[in-house]
Amino acid sequence: MEPELHPDLLPVSFLVGTWLGHGTGEYPTIKPFRYNEEVRFWHVGKAFLAYEQRTWAPDTGRPMHSEMGYWRCNSDGDLQVVLTHPTGVVEVSEGTVRGAAIEFATTHIALVPGAKDVEKLQRSFLIAGDLLTYEVRMAAVGEPLQHHLAAELNRVPPREVAVEVAEETLT
């Protein structure tokens, strides 16, 4: 039985679920690329959404990127996001939720020794029914803030997620 959604999360309640889709990326220091993506938001009845994201190469299935974290919101639509990347980057961001539009930007970035120098990240999300689109802008490795990623994800009906998980455990 799923716990009741914390009232502070009402402005972002439309995010809860699993989203699948495709995206593209570019940056001056790398070749343009495409990726498949899965994003999952869930809650445990407390004042945060848990967040998990992973991408993989469309042609080979090779894992590309992942991140995990938490999204906190208040009834005014003020948003706080904390994300960790396996590459040694931790993002602390603040932003807003205005209807189905979400904007946030880093206020602090922590890097472990050897991590790429990421200076700033900005993210924009727009949800229209069962379609989630986003854009990520980044300043890193000496490059100014600019477009890096864009994707379109579709909400996966809960039954399909359960079938996929069951099939994965059988193999």
Side-chain angles (χ1 to χ4, degrees):
M1 185 170 204
E2 187 170 315
E4 188 174 323
L5 185 73
H6 191 283
D8 286 354
L9 297 177
L10 289 175
V12 292
S13 62
F14 55 83
L15 291 171
V16 173
T18 299
W19 303 80
L20 289 172
H22 313 283
T24 59
E26 60 185 334
Y27 209 67
T29 59
I30 58 175
K31 292 181 181 178
F33 60 95
R34 296 188 175 283
Y35 57 92
N36 292 338
E37 180 170 21
E38 177 183 51
V39 171
R40 189 167 76 100
F41 292 93
W42 71 98
H43 71 95
V44 295
K46 298 194 178 213
F48 62 85
L49 288 181
Y51 165 85
E52 178 180 51
Q53 180 266 9
R54 67 185 184 99
T55 62
W56 61 95
D59 54 346
T60 65
R62 172 186 55 82
M64 294 176 69
H65 178 75
S66 66
E67 44 191 56
M68 297 182 76
Y70 299 96
W71 292 42
R72 296 166 34 98
C73 192
N74 66 28
S75 59
D76 292 333
D78 296 328
L79 182 67
Q80 302 163 342
V81 179
V82 178
L83 300 177
T84 59
H85 305 238
T87 56
V89 176
V90 178
E91 297 177 52
V92 176
S93 298
E94 293 181 6
T96 58
V97 179
R98 300 290 178 250
I102 299 170
E103 297 274 343
F104 58 94
T106 52
T107 56
H108 297 84
I109 294 180
L111 305 170
V112 301
K116 287 186 180 175
D117 184 25
V118 177
E119 298 170 28
K120 185 162 191 73
L121 290 155
Q122 294 177 340
R123 299 178 189 231
S124 301
F125 288 72
L126 184 60
I127 292 78
D130 288 334
L131 178 66
L132 180 155
T133 58
Y134 73 79
E135 181 182 351
V136 176
R137 294 165 300 285
M138 179 172 71
V141 296
E143 296 291 334
L145 186 67
Q146 60 193 285
H147 173 78
H148 176 44
L149 304 170
E152 290 189 359
L153 310 175
N154 293 290
R155 185 186 305 275
V156 177
R159 186 176 186 296
E160 289 184 30
V161 173
V163 169
E164 286 178 19
V165 170
E167 288 174 355
E168 287 179 11
T169 58
L170 294 174
T171 57

